[in-house]
C-alpha cells in the first residue's frame, strides 16, 4: 500500500461497498477547450472520458442570513500543467460543472445526474502540484439576467386580473 495517501482515503481502501456517488467535473474555457476530470479514476460516461485528476470542490451551501457562499475548487496541477493557462487568463470566467451520479447509473451509462454549474472568478493559490480557484454561483454577481415570468391564469388559477 502507498505511504503518501491521506488517512481519510487509507481508511476507506478496504471497504466492501465503495462510494456510491461519483463526482465528475467539466471545465469549459472561453476559447472552447474542455477539460474532463474525475475524482474516482478514469471514467467513461455518455461517450466522454473523464481523466483521473485529483480534484475537490468545497464550500457549497447557503447561510441563513442570505450571504452567498463562494466555493473553492482545487485540482492537481502536475508539474505546473495548468499554471500558464491560469496566469495568461485563459481560464478566467471558465464554467465548471460538477456532475454527481450514482455509480450504478454511471456503469449503465444512464443520464440520471445532478449538475451544478459555477463560474471561475479568481485564483487563490497556484503551486507546481495544486491549483485552487474561487467559484461563484451563476446568479452571484452583476452580470446576469433573470428570465421574465408572468403569473396569470390558467397556470395560476388563484391570481385575479382586474
Amino acid at each position: 500500500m502507498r505511504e503518501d495517501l491521506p488517512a481519510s482515503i487509507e481508511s476507506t481502501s478496504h471497504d466492501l461497498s465503495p462510494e456510491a456517488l461519483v463526482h465528475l467535473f467539466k471545465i469549459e474555457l472561453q476559447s472552447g477547450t474542455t477539460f474532463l476530470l474525475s475524482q474516482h479514476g478514469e471514467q467513461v460516461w455518455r461517450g466522454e472520458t473523464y481523466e483521473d485528476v485529483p480534484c475537490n470542490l468545497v464550500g457549497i451551501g447557503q447561510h441563513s442570513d442570505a450571504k452567498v457562499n463562494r466555493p473553492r475548487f482545487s485540482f492537481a496541477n502536475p508539474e505546473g500543467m495548468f499554471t500558464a493557462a491560469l496566469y495568461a487568463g485563459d481560464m478566467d470566467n471558465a464554467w465548471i460543472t460538477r456532475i454527481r451520479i450514482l455509480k450504478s447509473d454511471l456503469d449503465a451509462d444512464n443520464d440520471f445526474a445532478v449538475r451544478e454549474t459555477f463560474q471561475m472568478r479568481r485564483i487563490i493559490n497556484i503551486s507546481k502540484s495544486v491549483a485552487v480557484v474561487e467559484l461563484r454561483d451563476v446568479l452571484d454577481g452583476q452580470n446576469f439576467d433573470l428570465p421574465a415570468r408572468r403569473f396569470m391564469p390558467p397556470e395560476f388559477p388563484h391570481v385575479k386580473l382586474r
Side-chain angles (χ1 to χ4, degrees), residues 97-113:
T97 303
R98 177 174 76 163
I99 302 165
R100 294 183 295 167
I101 185 168
L102 292 173
K103 179 71 171 137
S104 58
D105 289 329
L106 180 76
D107 293 339
D109 203 27
N110 293 332
D111 195 12
F112 302 132

Side-chain angles (χ1 to χ4, degrees), residues 149-160:
R149 178 75 194 237
R150 298 169 88 182
F151 298 94
M152 296 176 52
E155 296 171 21
F156 298 92
H158 300 290
V159 174
K160 304 287 186 223

Side-chain angles (χ1 to χ4, degrees), residues 74-120:
S74 53
F75 53 97
N77 187 22
E79 299 301 318
M81 182 171 80
F82 295 107
T83 303
L86 285 165
Y87 279 133
D90 295 340
M91 296 185 87
D92 289 350
N93 297 320
W95 292 100
I96 297 179
T97 303
R98 177 174 76 163
I99 302 165
R100 294 183 295 167
I101 185 168
L102 292 173
K103 179 71 171 137
S104 58
D105 289 329
L106 180 76
D107 293 339
D109 203 27
N110 293 332
D111 195 12
F112 302 132
V114 176
R115 292 172 176 84
E116 297 168 286
T117 303
F118 302 94
Q119 195 168 27
M120 190 181 301

Side-chain angles (χ1 to χ4, degrees), residues 59 61-63 65-71 135-137 139-141:
Q62 296 178 343
H63 294 279
D65 59 356
K67 285 184 182 176
V68 178
N69 271 1
R70 301 239 167 102
L135 306 179
R136 291 194 183 177
D137 190 79
L139 299 178
D140 181 13

Side-chain angles (χ1 to χ4, degrees), residues 14 17 28 43 48 59 68 81 102 112 125 147 151 159 161:
H14 297 292
S17 60
E28 298 174 85
Q43 302 289 336
E48 297 181 318
V68 178
M81 182 171 80
L102 292 173
F112 302 132
N125 186 18
F151 298 94
V159 174
L161 297 176

Side-chain angles (χ1 to χ4, degrees), residues 70-73 121-126 131-135:
R70 301 239 167 102
R72 293 182 177 198
F73 182 61
R121 285 302 182 158
R122 77 180 173 104
I123 302 166
I124 295 174
N125 186 18
I126 299 176
V132 181
V133 295
E134 181 183 84
L135 306 179

